[in-house]
Amino acid sequence: METVKLISHFATWLSKVTGVPVSEETFCDDLINGVALCKLMTMIQGSGVSTYHDLPSPKGAPLDTFKSRENVRQFLDAC
């Protein structure tokens, strides 16, 4: 039960801070493309992340696998 509360809290916080929709129900799917994570890192001065692959224009269109992996790699490198 504690894990569910943490996921809900983090999803809400991450959405508010980055402006990227992240929900409790689709938490893993929302993070797998790395967009919200990279956007968060761009807000941290000195993180080394200044650009990333954003979601395509049509709402709901997925980011391709290569770009998603690059985003996640950038996030992990910054960590």
Side-chain angles (χ1 to χ4, degrees):
M1 189 56 126
E2 185 67 25
T3 303
V4 173
K5 287 181 184 179
L6 287 173
I7 290 172
S8 176
H9 178 72
F10 183 66
T12 302
W13 176 82
L14 189 58
S15 292
K16 286 180 183 177
V17 169
T18 64
V20 177
V22 178
S23 73
E24 177 183 340
E25 295 79 22
T26 58
F27 185 73
C28 290
D29 292 333
D30 293 339
L31 295 183
I32 202 160
N33 61 27
V35 174
L37 299 171
C38 281
K39 192 163 187 178
L40 179 64
M41 292 309 263
T42 63
M43 296 174 175
I44 299 172
Q45 190 175 31
S47 72
V49 176
S50 58
T51 61
Y52 58 93
H53 300 288
D54 208 349
L55 293 171
S57 295
K59 291 277 185 180
L63 194 61
D64 71 50
T65 304
F66 177 76
K67 291 178 180 178
S68 295
R69 286 185 181 189
E70 275 193 343
N71 281 350
V72 172
R73 183 194 49 77
Q74 276 197 97
F75 172 76
L76 292 173
D77 287 349
C79 286

